[in-house]
C-alpha cells in the first residue's frame, strides 16, 4: 500500500543505537509516521460541510475584523450551524436550574431555587453513583432518566408502549448514529449499503465513509416540498443491489436540511418498504418539537409502526434519535441525547452495550438536561408557567422566522425556496448563471461553493453550499439556519437577496 | 460472506405489496436484519472487561439484595472501575462552583459564591458562543480553555513550550484515544500494528479490535515492579514486523492496571526506540497527579522528549492524554479531557480537525471542569486554601490506601502484590491451584474469571480478572481499585485475604 523506501532503510537500522541512526541520516529530518500518504483512507474520505472550508474561511474573516481589518461589513453572521444559543437564544431557566443543582448540590438548600427543580435534581442524583454527577453512569445512561424517557415516549405516542431498557442515552444524537457501526459488514457486493436521503445531513455520509460502507442515495422531491416518494426508495434500492447489500435506511424527519415534515402516509409507505426489504430503519427525529407549518404534524416512526399492526411492530428494527441540542432548548454544548431501539436482537443488544461500555458513559450533565426535556414542570408545579412561557416564546419565534425566510427568499428572482415546515433550516435552490459555473469549474470548485464564498466575502453571511448535503446534478442550493434574531435574520435575508440579484446579473 | 437463503427469497419478492409478502411468509416471523451472523465482525471482536460479565453479574446480585434476597454479605463493593465519586469521594468545591456558575449564570450575582470562581466562570463563558454553555464550542474545544491547558503544561514541564493550537479537548481520555483511527491503514503485512503494554487498560485492545488493526503486545516486567524494559519493546517490534507494520506505540504512565510509575531513564529509552523505529507515541498520562511512592515522580513524555534535544523534540510524533476523571477530582461523569499532539503533520492535523468536527464538540461542561484543573485558585485568591486542603486530602488518602493495599495483599500466602506507586489500582498476582484451573477449563472459563466470580459470590467484592487486561500465560491476576473509603478498603482486603486462603486450600 505504501512506497516509502527511506522508511524501509530505517527498519534495517533498527536495534542500532539512536545516535548512530541519527548520524546515518546525515542531518536529514526524520520522516513522519503519519502523513497524508499513510493516513487511514477512510478518514480521508470523510467530509463534513457544516464545519467545512467555508466555516474556516468565516473564522479567518472574523479574526481580520477583530484585528481592525476592513471588510464591506462589520460582523460575520454564522447561519451555517444549528447552534441556537450562539445566535442569542436564551436557555430554558428550569433546565439550567436543575443541571446547576445537580452540579453543586449545596444549592439544594438555597431558597432562590424552586422546589420542582430541586425535586428533579434530587431524583437524578439518587440515580447517580455516590449521588454525584461526577460518577460514571451505566453505559446506557442513568436508569431513572431512561425510565423518564420511556414515559415521555409513551405519552408522545399516545400510549404506544416504550420499554426503558431499550433507551440508550448518547453524547448528542451524532453519537447515537454511530450504532451504524454494528451494521457494516461484508465485502464487495455483500458490503452493507446505507440508504440516505439527498439532500442529507452530512453526519450520515461522514459515518458511512469512515466505516467504509456503501452510500446509497435516494432523492427527495424538491418539486413536492422535499417529500419522500417511496417509488424513489424502490428505485435506489434496486439500483444499489447490483453492487452492494442495502441493509439500513436512514430517515431525517423533520428534514435537515430540507425543513420538510413527513406525512403519516409517507411514513407508512417507508415502513412498508423497510419491512419488505428487511432494512434496519434509523429515524433521525431530533427536530420532533420543531414543526411550524399549521398543516403539518410530527408522527414518530415508532407510533406509525405500531399502528400498522403487530406483524410490523414486532419485527421492523428501528432506532430513533433525539437530542437536547434542538427543539426549544438548543442545548448543543451539553451533548445530551438518546436513542430508542426496538426489535433489536437480544444478543446484538448485548453487543451494543459492550461497545458503548468502552466509552464508559455519556456526559451525565447532558443526561440531566435530557431528563428535564422529557420530564418538564407539570401544571401543579411552581415552574410550570415560566417554563411554558419560555418554550412557547422560542417555538413561536422560530415559526415566525421560518415564514419570514420562505417569504423573502421565494420572492427573489432566481431563488426557489420551499416552505420551512419544520427543523431549523431553509435549503433554497439558487440559479447560478453558466458563466459563474464555468468560473467555478476553472477554480476546481463546486459552483455553489463559489457562490457561498462570494456571499461570505461580500456580506459576512456564512451559509453552507448545497454540495455538502447532496443535490441533483445541475442544481445548486445552500443551507442556512433560521436561528438569528428576527431583526438580524431580516437583514441577512435582504442581504442574500441583494447579493443574489447582483450575482445573477 | 453471509448465507441466508430465506433472505434472498425475500429480495425476490421486493416491490410486491407488503401484505402479499406477509402472506407469503405463512405467519413465519420476519427475520432480523441485524443478527450475530450479520453483525460487524470487528464489533464482535471488541472486549472490555472493566464493564464485562463480572460487572453484569455484580449488578444482578445487587438487585437480588435490594429485593430482599439473601447472600453471605449485605453489600456489593465495586472495586472494578476507577469511579471515585461512586466510592464516596467528595467533589472539589471550587470545580463544582465554577461549573454551576457557568451552567446558571444568574448565580454570578449570588454572594455565596467566591469571586475567583466567578472570574473563572466569566472567562469560560466569554469563550462560549452567546456566552452560553449550551453553544457548540469549536471542535477542538473552547479557545481560552485550550490556552489555559497549554499554560498548565508549560508550568508542569518547567518551561517546555506548549502551543495551544496543539491542544484538543476530548470527551474523556477514552475519546482521545480514538485518534488511533487516523493511524490504521494497509492490508496484510502492511496493516498497522499497535504496540500496547501487557497488562494494558482494555480500551486499547478494544479500539484496536474495532479498527481492525493488529495488536502487538509488549510485556511489562512483573518481577521488576511492572517496569517497562526497552529490550522487550525491541523483541515485540521485531516479532511483529513479520506479520504487520508496527506504527504506533502506546504507553500508560502511571500504569493502569499496574500502578507503576516510569523512571525518566525508562521514558528516554522508550522515546529513543520510537525515534529509531518511526513510531507514533500515544502516552496515556491520565494518572499524572496520582503518584504516591516517595521515590517516584511523574515525568511527562513531552518534557523528556524536549530534554533529549531538538533532533528528537522536533520529530517524534507524540499524543498525550489527560482527563478530569482521575487525579484528585475524579470527575468521570463530566467526560472532560484533552490531548496535546506534537509534531503532527499539518495536513494530517487538518484531517483530524475535520474528523472531530463531525461529532461537533466535546461536552462544554466537561471542558469547563478541565479548565479548573489546569487553572486552579492561586495563593492570593479566596478559594486557594480550601482547594488545596481538599486536593491534599484526596491525594493523601489515596497514598495511604495504596500502601494499605500493598501491605495487606503482599502478606497473603499465594498472592504477590507489587507496590502501588501511582494510579488507582493494584494488580496482584494470584496463585490458583491446578484443580481450580482444571475446573475453570471444564467450564470454558479463564481461571481468574472463575476466581473473581467466586470472590463476588462469596464476599460481594467485584474485581476484574487479569485476563481482561492481559498477562503472561500461566499467570493469574485481578485488578482492584484502591478507591473505597479506608474502612471499607480494609474490610475488602481482609475479605480477599480470607477468600484467597480458603480458595487456595
Amino acid at each position: 500500500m505504501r512506497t516509502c523506501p527511506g522508511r524501509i532503510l530505517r527498519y534495517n537500522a533498527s536495534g542500532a543505537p539512536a545516535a548512530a541512526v541519527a548520524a546515518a541520516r546525515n542531518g536529514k529530518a526524520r520522516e513522519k509516521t503519519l502523513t497524508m500518504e499513510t493516513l487511514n483512507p477512510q478518514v480521508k474520505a470523510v467530509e463534513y460541510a457544516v464545519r467545512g472550508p467555508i466555516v474556516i474561511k468565516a473564522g479567518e474573516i472574523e479574526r481580520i475584523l477583530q484585528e481592525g481589518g476592513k471588510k464591506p461589513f462589520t460582523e460575520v453572521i454564522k447561519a451555517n450551524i444549528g447552534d441556537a444559543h450562539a445566535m442569542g437564544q436564551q436557555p430554558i431557566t428550569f433546565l439550567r436550574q436543575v443541571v446547576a443543582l445537580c452540579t453543586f448540590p449545596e444549592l439544594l438548600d438555597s431558597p432562590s431555587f424552586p422546589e420542582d427543580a430541586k425535586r428533579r435534581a434530587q431524583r437524578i442524583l439518587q440515580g447517580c453513583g455516590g449521588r454525584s454527577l461526577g460518577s460514571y453512569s451505566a453505559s446506557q445512561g442513568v436508569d431513572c432518566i431512561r425510565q423518564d424517557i420511556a414515559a415521555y415516549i409513551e405519552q408522545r405516542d399516545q400510549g404506544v408502549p416504550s420499554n426503558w431498557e431499550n433507551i440508550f442515552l448518547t453524547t448528542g444524537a451524532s453519537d447515537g448514529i454511530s450504532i451504524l457501526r454494528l451494521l457494516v459488514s461484508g465485502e464487495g457486493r455483500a458490503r452493507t449499503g446505507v440508504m440516505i436521503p439527498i439532500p442529507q445531513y452530512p453526519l450520515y455520509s461522514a459515518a458511512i465513509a469512515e466505516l467504509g460502507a456503501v452510500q446509497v442515495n435516494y432523492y427527495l422531491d424538491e418539486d413536492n416540498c422535499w417529500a419522500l416518494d417511496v417509488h424513489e426508495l424502490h428505485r435506489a434500492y434496486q439500483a444499489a443491489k447490483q453492487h452492494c447489500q442495502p441493509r439500513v435506511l436512514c430517515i431525517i424527519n423533520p428534514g435537515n436540511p430540507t425543513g420538510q415534515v413527513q406525512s403519516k402516509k409517507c411514513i407508512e409507505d417507508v415502513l412498508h418498504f423497510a419491512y419488505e426489504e428487511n432494512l434496519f430503519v434509523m429515524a433521525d427525529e431530533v427536530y420532533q418539537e420543531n414543526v411550524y407549518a399549521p398543516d403539518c404534524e410530527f408522527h414518530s416512526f415508532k407510533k406509525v409502526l405500531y399502528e400498522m399492526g403487530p406483524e410490523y411492530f414486532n419485527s421492523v428494527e428501528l432506532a430513533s434519535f433525539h437530542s437536547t441540542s434542538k427543539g426549544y432548548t438548543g442545548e448543543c454544548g451539553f451533548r445530551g441525547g438518546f436513542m430508542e431501539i426496538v426489535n433489536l436482537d437480544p444478543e446484538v443488544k448485548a453487543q451494543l452495550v459492550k461497545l458503548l461500555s468502552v466509552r464508559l458513559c455519556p456526559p451525565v450533565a447532558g443526561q440531566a438536561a435530557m431528563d428535564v426535556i422529557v420530564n418538564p414542570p407539570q401544571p401543579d408545579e411552581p415552574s410550570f408557567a415560566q417554563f411554558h412561557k419560555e418554550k412557547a416564546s422560542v417555538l413561536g419565534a422560530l415559526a415566525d422566522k421560518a415564514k419570514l425566510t420562505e417569504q423573502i427568499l421565494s420572492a427573489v428572482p432566481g431563488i426557489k425556496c420551499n416552505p420551512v415546515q419544520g427543523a431549523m433550516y431553509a435549503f433554497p435552490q439558487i440559479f447560478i448563471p453558466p458563466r459563474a459555473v464555468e468560473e467555478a469549474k476553472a477554480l476546481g470548485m463546486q459552483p455553489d461553493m463559489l457562490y457561498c464564498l462570494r456571499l461570505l466575502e461580500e456580506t459576512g453571511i456564512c451559509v453552507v453550499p448545497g454540495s455538502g448535503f447532496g443535490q441533483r446534478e445541475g442544481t445548486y442550493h445552500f443551507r442556512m439556519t433560521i436561528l438569528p434574531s428576527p431583526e438580524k435574520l431580516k437583514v441577512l435575508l435582504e442581504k442574500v437577496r441583494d447579493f443574489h440579484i447582483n450575482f445573477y446579473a
Side-chain angles (χ1 to χ4, degrees), chain A:
Chain A
M1 302 279 310
R2 291 181 282 127
T3 54
C4 187
R7 194 148 173 217
I8 288 160
L9 192 69
R10 191 106 70 247
Y11 293 145
N12 295 342
S14 86
V21 176
R25 274 175 203 152
N26 293 322
K28 272 208 304 179
R30 175 177 172 275
E31 269 171 65
K32 292 207 184 289
T33 304
L34 180 56
T35 64
M36 288 303 283
E37 283 69 51
T38 61
L39 181 71
N40 181 342
Q42 290 174 195
V43 166
K44 222 181 291 183
V46 167
E47 286 181 26
Y48 186 68
V50 174
R51 287 194 158 178
I54 197 107
V55 185
I56 293 169
K57 182 84 191 167
E60 287 167 16
I61 294 178
E62 263 185 333
R63 217 162 304 140
I64 291 170
L65 287 175
Q66 277 163 12
E67 289 162 3
K70 284 277 167 290
K71 287 280 166 189
F73 46 86
T74 54
E75 160 188 42
V76 171
I77 305 179
K78 287 193 177 159
N80 61 294
I81 187 168
D83 191 0
H85 291 203
M87 290 287 105
Q89 184 181 311
Q90 292 306 300
I92 299 289
T93 304
F94 185 73
L95 185 150
R96 291 299 188 92
Q97 285 173 329
V98 173
V99 179
L101 286 160
C102 289
T103 302
F104 194 56
E106 282 184 32
L107 292 170
L108 289 165
D109 299 326
S110 161
S112 53
F113 282 76
E115 288 307 312
D116 46 358
K118 291 182 183 174
R119 275 197 301 274
R120 295 292 186 293
Q122 271 160 332
R123 180 156 189 276
I124 293 166
L125 290 175
Q126 270 167 24
C128 295
R131 306 203 170 192
S132 169
L133 225 49
S135 298
Y136 293 120
S137 74
S139 306
Q140 304 96 311
V142 175
D143 278 359
C144 69
I145 298 178
R146 296 167 76 199
Q147 287 156 3
D148 288 346
I149 291 169
Y152 160 84
I153 292 172
E154 285 197 1
Q155 196 178 27
R156 179 196 72 189
D157 291 344
Q158 294 156 26
V160 177
S162 174
N163 179 349
W164 71 270
E165 296 198 329
N166 289 335
I167 308 292
F168 294 76
L169 274 295
T170 60
T171 307
S174 307
D175 173 51
I177 306 298
S178 71
I179 189 182
L180 200 55
R181 288 183 288 176
L182 272 64
L183 283 144
V184 178
S185 63
E187 294 300 331
R189 279 190 58 179
R191 192 68 178 162
T192 294
V194 181
M195 303 185 72
I196 62 170
I198 296 295
Q200 53 121 12
Y201 175 55
L203 167 63
Y204 293 92
S205 51
I208 290 167
E210 201 188 336
L211 290 163
V214 180
Q215 178 176 324
V216 178
N217 296 337
Y218 65 89
Y219 289 84
L220 301 175
D221 185 358
E222 182 163 16
D223 293 333
N224 190 16
C225 204
W226 293 116
L228 192 168
D229 180 349
V230 75
H231 297 100
E232 168 62 11
L233 284 183
H234 281 284
R235 182 208 60 77
Y237 177 84
Q238 293 299 338
K241 267 175 62 184
Q242 307 305 314
H243 60 95
C244 71
Q245 176 76 57
R247 291 177 62 209
V248 186
L249 173 58
C250 297
I251 304 284
I252 312 173
N253 177 50
N256 175 4
T258 63
Q260 203 257 351
V261 179
Q262 293 183 352
S263 70
K264 194 173 161 191
K265 171 71 173 62
C266 167
I267 297 172
E268 274 174 14
D269 287 348
V270 170
L271 287 167
H272 272 299
F273 170 77
Y275 175 92
E276 283 170 31
E277 306 297 3
N278 252 28
L279 298 173
F280 191 107
V281 179
M282 289 176 52
D284 180 338
E285 303 183 318
V286 300
Y287 297 100
Q288 57 188 264
E289 298 269 9
N290 299 101
V291 177
Y292 316 119
D295 52 338
C296 291
E297 196 185 336
F298 171 73
H299 303 275
S300 80
F301 267 67
K302 174 142 171 269
K303 177 161 176 276
V304 175
L305 188 66
Y306 180 81
E307 289 168 352
M308 289 166 76
E311 169 78 12
Y312 292 87
F313 189 61
N314 296 328
S315 83
V316 175
E317 294 149 273
L318 169 68
S320 158
F321 305 93
H322 199 12
S323 167
T324 59
S325 305
K326 310 302 169 189
Y328 54 92
T329 51
E331 294 283 10
C332 310
F334 278 96
R335 313 308 298 121
F338 70 81
M339 55 183 177
E340 182 184 29
I341 307 185
V342 295
N343 291 318
L344 195 65
D345 176 280
E347 278 183 277
V348 172
K349 188 172 164 183
Q351 293 283 317
L352 172 61
V353 172
K354 176 193 77 176
L355 199 59
L356 295 175
S357 74
V358 178
R359 293 291 169 82
L360 297 162
C361 70
V364 184
Q367 297 187 43
M370 195 78 242
D371 193 58
V372 174
I373 295 174
V374 298
N375 187 15
Q378 297 305 302
D380 59 345
E381 289 186 313
S383 302
F384 182 78
Q386 187 185 358
F387 181 89
H388 280 272
K389 196 175 142 216
E390 291 175 358
K391 175 178 172 178
S393 156
V394 171
L395 292 176
L398 283 170
D400 292 345
K401 292 190 281 190
K403 210 161 184 179
L404 181 73
T405 304
E406 182 206 344
Q407 277 171 350
I408 297 186
L409 288 182
S410 61
V412 180
I415 291 188
K416 201 181 118 186
C417 184
N418 274 320
V420 181
Q421 299 174 335
M424 295 178 169
Y425 314 98
F427 194 67
Q429 185 169 162
I430 45 178
F431 296 89
I432 297 186
R435 225 179 51 199
V437 172
E438 289 306 313
E439 190 187 335
K441 273 186 190 153
L443 293 163
M445 202 183 265
Q446 292 290 338
D448 49 11
M449 173 65 91
L450 178 73
Y451 182 97
C452 293
L453 272 176
R454 289 277 164 80
L455 177 67
L456 174 64
E457 279 161 2
E458 293 181 22
T459 66
I461 295 168
C462 180
V463 300
V464 189
S467 44
F469 303 87
Q471 53 200 353
R472 282 199 185 272
E473 203 171 324
T475 71
Y476 306 107
H477 302 76
F478 63 78
R479 187 189 85 163
M480 59 168 281
T481 73
I482 59 167
L483 292 174
S485 68
E487 307 72 46
K488 207 175 256 187
L489 183 64
K490 194 151 179 283
V491 172
L492 184 156
L493 291 164
E494 286 165 357
K495 279 188 174 185
V496 169
R497 180 190 61 200
D498 299 345
F499 168 82
H500 186 82
I501 291 168
N502 202 22
F503 186 89
Y504 198 71

